[in-house]
């Protein structure tokens, strides 16, 4: 029976001395106290990046399903009533896109910090918090859009157009809230005097957030031409 | 134990084949054969089925018996017995599958397309008998247009089963509905094409008559129809095959294929009963 | 992908508390066992439900002792009502398809063995993994709650077609809160499944150890990986569908409900929706789902067969390509569930071609399995018997699919017991045999004890014969036009078929009872089975390089280095006729 065979010149890539320290319990990260952001050799990099792309693929598929439901529904009933998208929605769009800009600024500044090109951790943190606030503003603005529709007497079940408006914007907003959670986590890590934010975490959170913007543009486009 | 496997699987395979070949449940007179086809389009379906049965049946038997043979020969061999590779290897298997299955698919696909087209891609003849069928929890009702040849309008809010107004007709205000004939059985004349318009009252149902080789769902909100010609006088069951609620198992009506004379008499009688 | 060794994304220290070790564990091995346990509970529940259904079909007026305690309204005096039959039918299907067939071969064995077989210490995201399981458990609890509400579980089947499922309590008993709970349970299950698939994909792509190229992954690893890709996209469509269904039910929307419906004398206040839309969304998920159920079993059976035959398959690359082809084609065929549904009949023809085409990779795989048996040195064990049984069942079930793939034949066979026989053969038997094979094969590794081989073989023989006795006759009944989902057979043409149903019921009760042998073997061996060595089957993949059961961190902090493909059998080496994947030794010619 074969037991564990020790190959003669067993060479495994030792994680760098800094990484051999494992964190505690389930939330352990690799980066020990005061170290720079991992750029090369960040062992979590690949998996986290794959993970976020896979997650975004699933979200895309869900919205594809909603889109096909919308397209089919338009042809099956004679009750398709044109819906005027509340103007605040366009302002919300600008807010969301702006938040992507601020997030990118934060991300690049942080990368510079990690490469020791800059000693300023506070500036990226400010840009991140701005992103968070813009995100919250977006959600609040969506809520205002719903309030406007309600004021016009258009509720979830009023007609299929309003149904899809509420469903699409609400599902998107829920995913945005999830993204806000991710941003909060990054902010918390940055505010901790012990620097423990991995590049992969920052990147994954950013990709997700940018995707929320792209997804929103798509939803807006569909609603504009179809509803 | 490999030999036992081979024996058991061969016995099982052959046993499975018996009811297919005899169309009967072993030692009883319970028949599994589809009932006699009384439609004009059904022979194509039946031919398709028997072609498929031959190919599927042979594949089934061959695979199971081969499995048995290979297990018999390969099980419990000596520890250092030589390992042999099936001549042709994986390449042969890929080619065999592509050729065998590919040709089967082509043949059956092309033939099947004709059988399907016969049912669905031909429009009903302009002089077909127009009948409307309504499926609702848990009964079928049928409506004939009556002497004026026109169906009256239906109003869901006027449906009143207690007073036998199953279709929600409004004879008081709608002239065309006054002579409509509503029945619980579908009577049709033999050798005459029937155009059956299908309406679902509440949930999904289905119209299934085995002898006619017809099955079509009733879908709420959709105006569907089937057309067919029955070639043999007799009484046949129409059963619901789309799960529609607690009474689904009991939801049925009779298809009564009558000679033209009997059908005319039946219509006259029904008209007087309305 | 680079060949460099990578350690896990988020290492976690060994847990110390009982809760951390056995309940809220981050260890993929514990999570795999938890999924297995949940599947075991679900399968016994589903099996009991099927007994109740079979008994009622043959003796519809006989009281079933004790049933009135499960539901006073559903079975007054123990006599099952027609609606309760449909409730049990719905729950049977839902439990089996979701909580057994998606859980056991995929989530349970995949979670346990995927990381190990690729040389990783754990899944890429252990916290997500733990969340996946507990979310699945939550979905299970929500579903089971439907048994205990006054109106009972839904009656619309696991397929929950609108408008029966969408309009609310008017359409029947169980269509109130019961149906909503069902929708909620499946929605939550989708979340769990998506998280799980994400983990599998990231782990497979990024956590392979040095030397473990994609080509060197065992077939079962490939099967889990392909399945997780299918599952990711399929469950992402089911979620919106369930959401829209729930909204139609509770919020008054009309996604699936058209105008003018009169149900229980009420004119329904909806309009404009399409019942076919539900069918399209559901089956777009539903067809890939059945391949999610069978693909892992194909992988597990391949892996076990190769080990038992002591030789590689004729080509394991072709098998993997076939699994990919099946996965890809599975997204193009959903309309074959809807041939007579009222959709455009031209679409039916369009769907039938990819449906028929799936036969090709399935046949290639079958021929390769069969051809590999030729000239092999087959070892008979409980595991290999079930693997061989899988082959037999897969052929039987596949062959009936050939009929149903043709729309013209489907006109006659749709919604008959022929369909029920088909999917039970492939899912209810073949996939389950895959689970049994995996259990007998991997139990020693997972628990450190051997199962009783003689009980296992007895379990196989009785189950093999028993399941043929149950499900083959379904096909004959279908050919006679026996309609499905009927709670009783009262039609003129159905009454003469009842004796056949009686035979099936006896076979079902017998085969069900036989499963107690398995349960006994499982439990008894867990505590009293002979101690298992590290590699009792002389198998080459990485899980057999570690002790039984494996230590907490799998490879003891070191990363294995892989030198071979996983099927070095029939070679001469210092270990015998095989070479472990991590052995630097080359085969002696």
């Amino acid at each position: 029976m074969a037991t564990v065979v020790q190959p003669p010149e067993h060479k495994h890539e030792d994680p760098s001395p800094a990484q051999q320290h494992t964190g505690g319990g389930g939330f352990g990260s690799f980066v020990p106290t005061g170290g720079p952001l991992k750029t090369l050799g960040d062992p979590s990099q690949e998996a986290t990046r794959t993970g976020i792309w896979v997650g975004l693929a699933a979200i895309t598929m869900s919205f594809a399903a909603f889109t096909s439901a919308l397209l089919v529904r338009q042809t099956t009933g004679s009750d398709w009533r044109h819906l005027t998208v509340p103007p605040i929605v366009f302002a919300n769009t600008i807010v969301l896109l702006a938040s992507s800009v601020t997030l990118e600024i934060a991300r690049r500044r942080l990368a510079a910090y990690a490469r020791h090109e800059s000693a300023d951790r506070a500036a990226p943190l400010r840009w991140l918090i701005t992103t968070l606030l813009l995100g919250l503003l977006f959600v609040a603005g969506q809520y205002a859009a719903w309030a406007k529709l309600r004021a016009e007497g258009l509720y979830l079940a009023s007609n299929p157009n309003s149904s899809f408006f509420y469903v699409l914007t609400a599902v998107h907003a829920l995913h945005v809230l999830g993204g806000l959670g991710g941003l909060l986590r990054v902010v918390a890590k940055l505010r901790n005097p012990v620097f423990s934010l991995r590049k992969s975490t920052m990147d994954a959170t950013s990709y997700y957030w940018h995707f929320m913007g792209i997804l929103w543009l798509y939803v807006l486009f569909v609603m504009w031409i179809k509803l | 134990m490999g030999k036992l496997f081979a024996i058991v699987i061969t016995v099982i395979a052959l046993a499975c084949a018996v009811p297919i070949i005899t169309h009967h449940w072993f030692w009883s007179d319970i028949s599994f054969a589809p009932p006699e086809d009384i439609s004009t389009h059904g022979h194509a379906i039946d031919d398709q089925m028997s072609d498929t049965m031959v190919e599927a049946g042979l594949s089934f038997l061959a695979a199971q018996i081969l499995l048995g043979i290979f297990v018999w020969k390969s099980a419990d061999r000596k520890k250092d017995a030589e390992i042999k590779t099936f001549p042709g290897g994986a390449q042969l298997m890929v080619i065999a599958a592509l050729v065998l299955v590919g040709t089967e698919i082509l043949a059956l696909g092309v033939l099947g397309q004709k059988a399907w087209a016969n049912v669905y891609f031909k429009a009903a003849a302009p002089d077909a008998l127009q009948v409307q069928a309504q499926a609702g929890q848990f009964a079928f009702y049928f409506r004939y247009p009556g002497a004026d040849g026109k169906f009256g309008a239906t109003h869901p809010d006027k449906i009143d089963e207690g007073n036998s107004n199953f279709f929600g007709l409004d004879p008081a205000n709608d002239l065309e509905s006054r002579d409509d004939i509503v029945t619980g059985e579908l009577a049709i004349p033999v050798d005459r094409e029937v155009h059956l318009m299908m309406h679902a009252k509440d949930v999904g149902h289905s119209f299934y008559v085995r002898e006619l080789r017809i099955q079509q769902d009733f879908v709420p909100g959709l105006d569907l129809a089937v057309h067919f010609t029955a070639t043999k006088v007799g009484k046949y069951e129409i059963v619901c095959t789309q799960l529609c609620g607690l009474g689904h198992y009991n939801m049925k009506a009779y298809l009564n294929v009558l000679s033209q004379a009997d059908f005319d008499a039946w219509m006259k009688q029904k008209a007087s009963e309305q | 992908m680079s060949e460099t060794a990578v350690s896990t994304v988020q290492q976690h220290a060994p847990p110390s508390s009982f809760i951390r070790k056995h309940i809220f564990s981050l260890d993929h091995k514990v999570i795999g066992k938890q999924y297995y346990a949940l599947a075991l509970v679900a399968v016994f529940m589903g099996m009991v439900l099927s007994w109740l259904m079979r008994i009622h079909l043959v003796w519809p007026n006989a009281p079933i002792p004790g049933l009135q305690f499960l539901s006073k309204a559903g079975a007054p005096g123990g006599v099952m009502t027609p609606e309760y039959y449909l409730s049990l039918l719905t729950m049977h299907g839902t439990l089996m398809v979701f909580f057994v067939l998606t859980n056991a071969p995929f989530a349970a064995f995949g979670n346990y063995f995927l990381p190990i077989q690729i040389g990783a210490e754990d899944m890429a995201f252990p916290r997500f993994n733990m969340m996946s399981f507990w979310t699945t458990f939550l979905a299970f609890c929500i579903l089971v709650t439907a048994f205990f509400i006054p109106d009972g579980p839904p009656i619309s089947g696991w397929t929950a077609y609108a408008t029966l499922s969408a309009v609310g309590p008017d359409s029947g008993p169980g269509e109130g809160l019961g149906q909503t709970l069902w929708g909620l349970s499946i929605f939550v299950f989708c979340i769990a499944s998506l998280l799980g698939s994400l983990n599998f994909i990231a782990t497979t792509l990024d956590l392979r150890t040095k030397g473990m190229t994609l080509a060197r992954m065992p077939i079962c690893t490939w099967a889990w990986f392909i399945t997780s890709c299918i599952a990711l996209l399929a469950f992402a469509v089911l979620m919106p569908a369930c959401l829209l269904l729930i909204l139609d039910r509770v919020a008054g929307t009309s996604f699936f409900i058209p105008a003018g419906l009169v149900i229980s004398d009420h004119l329904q206040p909806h309009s404009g929706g399409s019942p076919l839309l539900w069918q399209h969304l559901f089956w777009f998920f539903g067809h890939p789902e059945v391949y999610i159920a069978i693909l892992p079993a194909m992988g597990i059976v391949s892996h076990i067969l190769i080990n038992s035959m002591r030789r590689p398959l004729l080509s394991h690359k072709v098998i993997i390509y076939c699994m990919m082809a099946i996965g890809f084609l599975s997204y193009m065929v959903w309309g074959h569930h809807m041939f007579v549904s009222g959709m455009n009949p031209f679409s039916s023809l369009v769907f039938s071609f990819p449906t028929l085409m799936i036969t090709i990779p399935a046949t290639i795989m079958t021929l390769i399995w069969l051809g590999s048996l030729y000239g092999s040195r087959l070892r008979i064990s409980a595991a290999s018997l079930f693997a061989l049984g899988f082959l037999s069942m897969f052929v039987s079930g596949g062959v009936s699919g050939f009929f149903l793939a043709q729309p013209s034949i489907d006109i006659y066979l749709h919604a008959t017991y022929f369909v029920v026989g088909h999917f039970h053969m492939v899912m209810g038997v073949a996939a389950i045999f895959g689970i049994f094979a995996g259990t007998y094969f991997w139990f020693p590794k997972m628990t450190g004890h051997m199962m009783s081989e003689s009980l296992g073989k007895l379990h196989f023989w009785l189950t093999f014969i028993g399941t043929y006795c149950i499900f083959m006759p379904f096909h004959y009944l279908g050919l006679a036009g026996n309609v499905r989902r009927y709670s009783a057979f009262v039609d003129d043409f159905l009454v003469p078929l009842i004796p056949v149903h009686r035979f099936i019921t006896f076979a079902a009760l017998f085969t069900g009872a036989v499963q107690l042998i398995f349960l006994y073997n499982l439990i008894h061996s867990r505590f009293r089975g002979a101690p298992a060595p590290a590699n009792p089957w002389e198998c080459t993949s990485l899980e057999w390089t570690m002790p039984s059961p494996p230590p907490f961190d799998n490879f003891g902090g070191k990363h294995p280095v892989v030198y071979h493909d996983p099927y070095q059998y029939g070679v001469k080496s210092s270990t015998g006729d095989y070479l472990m994947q991590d052995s630097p030794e080359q085969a002696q010619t």
Side-chain angles (χ1 to χ4, degrees), chain B residues 16 48 64 74 76-77 79 81 83-84 104 116 137 201-202 208 210 215 217 219 237 240 252 254, chain C residues 163 171 262 310-311 340-341 345 375-378 392 396 402 406 411-412 414 476 480 486 491-493:
Chain B
C16 288
Q48 192 85 1
Q64 305 287 1
S74 62
D76 307 319
R77 287 173 75 201
K79 233 187 153 173
I83 294 203
K84 294 184 281 225
E104 268 177 65
W116 180 257
Q137 286 176 331
K201 176 181 154 231
D202 41 27
Y208 183 48
R210 302 178 307 145
Q215 183 170 183
D217 284 1
V219 180
E237 280 178 298
C240 179
K252 72 182 238 189
Y254 280 104
Chain C
T163 54
S171 65
V262 177
R310 311 310 298 169
R311 56 96 57 85
V340 297
S341 66
S376 71
R377 283 201 291 259
L378 180 66
S392 174
S396 300
F402 205 52
Q406 300 170 66
I411 291 177
Y412 184 81
H414 174 73
Y476 314 139
Y486 275 10
D491 294 322
D492 305 340
F493 75 100

Side-chain angles (χ1 to χ4, degrees), chain A residues 1-2 4 7-8 10 13 22 26-27 30 44 46-47 50 54 58 61-62 66 73 76-77 79 156-157 163-164 167 198, chain C residues 4 8-9 11 125 127 201 206 232-233 236 240 247 251-252 254-255 271-274 284 535 545 559 561 563 578 580:
Chain A
M1 302 284 140
V4 180
H10 183 81
E13 241 91 290
T22 59
F27 283 77
F30 278 128
S44 63
E46 298 290 349
T50 308
V54 169
M61 200 66 187
S62 284
F66 279 124
R73 179 63 178 81
T76 61
D79 54 354
L156 177 59
S163 300
F164 276 107
V167 168
R198 281 173 290 191
Chain C
T4 54
T8 51
V9 175
Q11 280 183 349
F125 310 114
R127 270 172 293 162
I201 295 173
D206 297 317
L232 187 82
L233 301 177
L247 287 179
S254 299
F255 294 107
S271 81
S274 166
F284 188 84
N535 197 354
T545 66
H559 302 286
V561 179
Y563 297 89
Y578 67 102
M580 304 296 296

